[in-house]
Amino acid sequence: MVRLRKRALLPAWLRRAVLGWFDARYISRADHRQDIKDALWEVQTLGREVTALRAEVDRLRAQVAKATPEQARVNRWDDAHRLSQETAAAMERVLQNEVLLWQAVDSRGTGAP
């Protein structure tokens, strides 16, 4: 959008009225500058916090990379995983048998062979 600046001679009372109207509707330049300074300070503060958090993440990643689980614990995890898979397979068979049982009961109740 292009704005053209034109100057015109105005009476002082009209200029004061227009400027007063603008001042009432819009923020002053001093307030705008202060808002920009506050926003810049906030951005700088957040930047420092992000830098500190990145350093903390890097420290924690290094700490986790050094940690290796004991073999006995790994064996227990493997056993728990194997048992959970076997339990899931057994439960699936039980549920399939239950469905077959109820289908047989339903067909018996309707008189079908």
Side-chain angles (χ1 to χ4, degrees), residues 52-95:
L53 287 173
R54 282 185 183 150
E56 180 72 12
V57 166
D58 291 341
R59 185 187 68 77
L60 290 172
R61 282 186 179 151
Q63 186 177 3
V64 167
K66 288 190 303 186
T68 56
E70 304 159 358
Q71 189 59 38
R73 183 173 288 181
V74 171
N75 290 340
R76 284 197 311 266
W77 290 340
D78 290 341
D79 287 342
H81 184 258
R82 179 184 52 79
L83 289 172
S84 67
Q85 287 182 328
E86 290 175 3
T87 303
M91 283 302 299
E92 185 176 357
R93 286 192 300 274
V94 166
L95 291 173

Side-chain angles (χ1 to χ4, degrees), residues 1-6 22 26 29:
M1 183 164 117
V2 177
R3 291 187 180 185
L4 299 176
R5 272 187 109 157
K6 294 184 180 182
F22 277 126
Y26 299 105
R29 286 185 180 182

Side-chain angles (χ1 to χ4, degrees), residues 5 8 12-13 17 31-32 38 42 53 67 69 72 75 77 79 101 103:
R5 272 187 109 157
W13 66 268
D31 290 341
H32 188 62
D38 292 343
E42 187 71 27
L53 287 173
N75 290 340
W77 290 340
D79 287 342
L101 176 69
Q103 286 174 349

Side-chain angles (χ1 to χ4, degrees), residues 31-47:
D31 290 341
H32 188 62
R33 283 189 189 111
Q34 186 60 44
D35 288 346
I36 291 173
K37 286 178 184 176
D38 292 343
L40 179 61
W41 179 83
E42 187 71 27
V43 167
Q44 290 170 344
T45 301
L46 289 173

Side-chain angles (χ1 to χ4, degrees), residues 2-19:
V2 177
R3 291 187 180 185
L4 299 176
R5 272 187 109 157
K6 294 184 180 182
R7 293 186 176 253
L9 292 176
L10 296 174
W13 66 268
L14 182 60
R15 187 169 24 91
R16 279 193 301 272
V18 169
L19 289 177

